[in-house]
Structure formats: C-alpha cells, structure tokens
C-alpha cells in the first residue's frame, strides 16, 4: 500500500514546527518503498496529498 505522510507547521511563522520536524526525523531514518514524505508550512499541501495519493494519507500537526 502506498502512503503519504504530510508534516504541517512552520517554526519561523510562530508555529510549533512539529510536522516538518517529524518529516526530517523520518527522512533521516529512512522509510519503506511506497511512502512519500512531505513537509509544508500550511495545510494547503494536504489537499494535494489527498488528490495525488492512491493510498493512506497521514497528517502530522500540533495545535495548542
């Protein structure tokens, strides 16, 4: 099964930056074939991931 992990957040914009930090952590450790990793400053990337993915979409974000 294909999967896409989207990490949302931007530390420079006063956000927590958790999503991109998780994506960086996953990239450093490697993921299995068929898994796409995306880091995005805002949730607009989520729409692209949903439209392009043929499998699971996992969203990583944090809110206060």
């Amino acid at each position: 099964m294909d999967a896409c992990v989207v990490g949302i957040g931007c530390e420079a914009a006063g956000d927590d930056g958790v999503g991109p930090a998780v994506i960086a952590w996953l990239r450093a450790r490697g993921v299995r074939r068929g898994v796409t990793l995306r880091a995005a400053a805002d949730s607009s990337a989520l729409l692209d991931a949903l439209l392009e993915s043929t499998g699971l979409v996992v969203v990583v974000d944090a809110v206060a």
Side-chain angles (χ1 to χ4, degrees):
M1 171 196 286
D2 289 340
C4 180
V5 182
V6 181
I8 300 172
C10 180
E11 208 171 330
D15 197 338
D16 51 34
V18 165
V22 169
I23 297 301
W25 186 86
L26 289 170
R27 281 190 180 130
R29 280 147 188 82
V31 294
R32 65 184 175 102
R33 175 185 268 166
V35 177
T36 304
L37 303 174
R38 293 184 183 196
D42 59 56
S43 59
S44 63
L46 183 55
L47 182 58
D48 289 339
L50 289 171
L51 292 173
E52 295 171 5
S53 181
T54 59
L56 181 67
V57 175
V58 177
V59 179
V60 180
D61 195 5
V63 295

